């Protein structure tokens, strides 16, 4: 196949996979059909499920599969695709990086936008560097950490990083900006502008989310994403060369690749155009051995060579390519980091001693130790949540649980029969349950308690029955008792005082979310009483 045909094949493949990734991200939301017939959600008669496989790219990801297998000791359904990708890497090399990976495609495009280095400076930048060993350090660290029971791979895994960055930072930021502009236009007294503002918001909401979604640490997630994009101005595909642990995993397996680069030393004029165009600093030029572990299969060197001195051919005879240059320091450092992270991450006592009362996991979550073994911090459960209650953890779960999902009831509440978070979780850190099981079992994620000093009826400052009105359980977990109190003016007033029945409360948090006392609501949910933890129970007969 000619070089220009391979280049166009790569571009088409990159474009299609990136478009499919963005499409699945947009579709990872509460289905429109459920909005149209909301009785399905309220009754729990029919489970709400997505129409598209939102976890498809995660099932293609060998790093997600391998770390989940090492840490959780489970074979995840659908992850045979990841094994197939690894097997194809043995035949083709890092084809995933060059043809499939949506984050790699974004870096490829970012590096092509007015690069800061050109000519001889770019040739020098495209030489093999010691910094490219960092990705092997990170790979070894996450694998050893997973083996010791703490799965941190999702923080740096490219599929998890891209989904988390787009879903929790980029799309909400862009959507909120557009909606703010639409609100200004809709507030106009001129009817055409008014209709334009409302119409535009109806069109963009399915893409960027309804309302104004907010995610704690969203600014940090977005800032890190912008930084790694900016690094492409320093080195083309800096992330792929230097930091990507998935790329390092592919680099290890590509040593056995049967697709090999061949150089015709007699035809080569040492023009260095192949080195200038190389995306992975894989040493395609003359006088040095081609490094298959760094080659991203962009085929730029093949296309740019004016003398046709470079070709890619399949060689079926046994033999290995040049092995990945990990470096002894990177290996030893990765081993040390992999052993240290799980133990240091548990020193805060959140796992073995007393957990944070704010650590409320989504319904269906497994016990905390197993949760940290499986969770990839990908953001799928946060993106699909219809009420924006599922948030990336900051300090609630300690260092070991950074960016894992927690529920923040001031931002939303857990819809009574909704189980979408469990249906999209790629590693079953959140087990898939039915809406009927969630209600009838029931699945408890916490317990509500009253702060009587802030509660309007209990403090004698006024009548309020909002929490009791919104409580979804049947019979209600929040009930009222009338009590007559004497006000400051000496007039007797009968108020309805709310109480919480812990045997009925499931911790959904709608009472906290709807409480009129804002800032720090008068009724709040704590993790105590959650179904997933035996040692975190309140009542012995629950």
């Amino acid at each position: 196949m000619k070089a220009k045909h391979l280049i166009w094949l790569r571009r088409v493949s990159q474009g299609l996979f990136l478009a499919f990734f963005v499409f699945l991200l947009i579709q990872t939301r509460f289905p429109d059909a459920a909005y149209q017939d909301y009785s399905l959600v309220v009754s729990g008669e029919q489970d709400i499920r997505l129409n598209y496989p939102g976890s498809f790219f995660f099932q293609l990801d060998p790093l997600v599969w391998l770390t989940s297998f090492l840490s959780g000791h489970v074979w995840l359904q659908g992850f045979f695709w990841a094994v197939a990708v690894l097997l194809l890497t043995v035949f083709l090399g890092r084809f995933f990086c060059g043809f499939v990976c949506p984050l790699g495609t974004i870096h490829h495009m970012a590096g092509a936008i007015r690069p800061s280095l050109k000519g001889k400076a770019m040739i020098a930048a495209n030489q093999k560097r010691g910094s490219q060993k960092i990705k092997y350090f990170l790979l070894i660290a996450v694998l050893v950490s997973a083996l010791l029971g703490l799965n941190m791979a999702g923080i740096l895994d490219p599929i998890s990083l891209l989904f988390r960055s787009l879903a929790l930072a980029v799309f909400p930021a862009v959507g909120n900006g557009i909606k703010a502009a639409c609100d200004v236009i809709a507030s106009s007294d001129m009817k055409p502008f008014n209709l334009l503002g409302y119409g535009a918001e109806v069109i963009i909401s399915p893409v960027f989310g309804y309302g104004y979604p907010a995610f704690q640490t969203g600014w940090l997630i977005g800032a890190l994403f912008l930084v790694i994009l900016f690094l492409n101005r320093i080195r083309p595909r800096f992330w792929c060369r230097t930091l990507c642990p998935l790329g390092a995993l592919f680099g290890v397996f590509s040593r056995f690749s049967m697709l090999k680069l061949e150089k015709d030393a007699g035809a080569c004029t040492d023009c260095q155009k192949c080195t200038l165009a190389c995306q992975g600093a894989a040493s395609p030029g003359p006088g040095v051995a081609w490094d298959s572990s760094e080659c991203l299969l962009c085929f730029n060197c093949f296309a740019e060579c004016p003398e046709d001195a470079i070709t890619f051919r399949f060689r079926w005879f046994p033999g290995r390519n040049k092995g990945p240059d990990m470096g002894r320091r990177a290996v030893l450092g990765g081993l040390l980091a992999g052993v240290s992270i799980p133990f240091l991450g548990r020193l805060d006592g959140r796992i073995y001693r007393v957990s944070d009362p704010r650590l409320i996991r989504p319904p269906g979550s497994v016990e905390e130790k197993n949760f940290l073994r499986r969770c990839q911090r990908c953001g799928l459960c946060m993106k699909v949540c219809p009420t924006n209650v599922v948030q990336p953890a900051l300090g609630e779960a300690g260092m070991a649980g950074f960016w894992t999902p927690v529920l923040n009831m001031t931002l939303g509440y857990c819809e009574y029969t909704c189980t979408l978070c469990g249906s999209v979780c790629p590693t079953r850190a959140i087990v898939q349950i039915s809406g009927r099981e969630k209600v009838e079992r029931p699945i408890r994620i916490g317990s509500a308690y009253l702060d009587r000093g802030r509660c309007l009826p209990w403090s004698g400052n006024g009548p309020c029955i909002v929490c009791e009105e919104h409580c979804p359980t049947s019979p209600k977990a929040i009930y009222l008792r009338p009590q007559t109190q004497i006000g400051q003016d000496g007039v007797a007033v009968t108020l309805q005082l709310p109480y919480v029945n812990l045997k009925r409360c499931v911790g959904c948090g709608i009472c906290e979310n709807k409480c009129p006392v804002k800032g720090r609501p008068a009724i709040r949910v704590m993790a105590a009483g959650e179904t997933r933890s035996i040692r975190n129970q309140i009542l012995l007969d629950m």
Side-chain angles (χ1 to χ4, degrees), residues 480-530:
L480 305 172
R481 287 180 180 172
Q483 181 172 320
T484 301
Q485 298 182 0
I486 305 298
Q488 290 184 355
D489 54 4
V491 178
V493 179
T494 300
L495 298 174
Q496 300 289 335
L497 303 183
Y499 292 81
V500 178
N501 186 333
L502 292 177
K503 292 183 178 180
R504 298 174 182 171
C505 182
V506 295
C508 67
I510 191 171
C511 53
E512 178 178 346
N513 183 257
K514 302 299 182 183
C515 179
V517 181
K518 299 302 180 183
R520 189 173 178 82
I523 185 167
R524 299 188 289 276
V525 177
M526 58 182 175
E530 57 182 347

Side-chain angles (χ1 to χ4, degrees), residues 291-500:
D291 196 340
S292 63
S293 63
E294 301 295 335
C295 181
L296 304 179
L297 290 186
C298 63
F299 296 115
N300 286 349
C301 59
F302 185 22
E304 292 295 327
C305 183
E307 311 298 337
D308 292 330
I310 293 177
T311 56
F312 281 85
R313 299 183 187 279
F314 283 102
R315 295 300 184 191
W316 301 103
F317 57 84
R320 294 181 295 179
N321 301 311
K322 179 182 177 182
D325 184 13
M326 297 185 186
R328 183 167 53 185
R329 292 181 181 179
V331 173
L332 294 177
L335 290 172
L336 179 60
V339 171
S340 302
I341 290 172
F343 294 107
L344 294 178
R346 293 164 178 161
L347 288 179
D348 51 24
R350 297 292 172 84
I351 298 177
Y352 295 113
R353 297 181 67 86
V354 180
S355 61
D356 193 309
R358 300 170 298 165
L359 183 57
I360 303 170
R361 296 295 191 189
S365 298
V366 297
E367 188 269 334
E368 187 65 13
K369 289 181 184 178
N370 288 329
F371 191 88
L372 295 178
R373 290 189 179 109
R374 299 185 188 183
C375 180
Q376 290 286 340
R377 299 160 168 84
C378 60
L380 270 167
C381 56
M382 306 171 202
K383 174 66 170 63
V384 79
C385 180
T387 66
N388 197 205
V389 68
V390 187
Q391 297 285 316
L394 181 57
E396 300 92 335
M399 188 278 282
F402 185 66
W403 279 346
T404 55
V406 297
L407 273 61
N408 186 332
M409 305 305 184
T410 59
L411 294 175
Y413 59 92
C414 186
E415 185 64 62
Y416 190 44
T417 60
C418 177
T419 57
L420 277 174
C421 52
S423 69
V424 300
C425 181
T427 60
R428 294 297 174 258
I430 307 172
V431 179
Q432 182 171 328
I433 57 176
S434 66
R436 183 177 293 276
E437 180 184 2
K438 181 183 178 184
V439 172
E440 295 181 354
R441 189 180 168 184
I443 302 293
R444 294 183 173 87
I445 57 176
S447 304
Y449 69 98
L450 279 158
D451 186 344
R452 295 185 179 184
R454 298 180 65 82
C455 180
L456 295 177
W458 274 104
S459 63
N461 284 303
C464 179
I465 59 171
V466 170
C467 57
E468 189 272 343
E469 286 182 322
H470 283 89
C471 182
T473 64
S474 180
K476 288 181 178 290
I478 299 176
Y479 59 96
L480 305 172
R481 287 180 180 172
Q483 181 172 320
T484 301
Q485 298 182 0
I486 305 298
Q488 290 184 355
D489 54 4
V491 178
V493 179
T494 300
L495 298 174
Q496 300 289 335
L497 303 183
Y499 292 81
V500 178

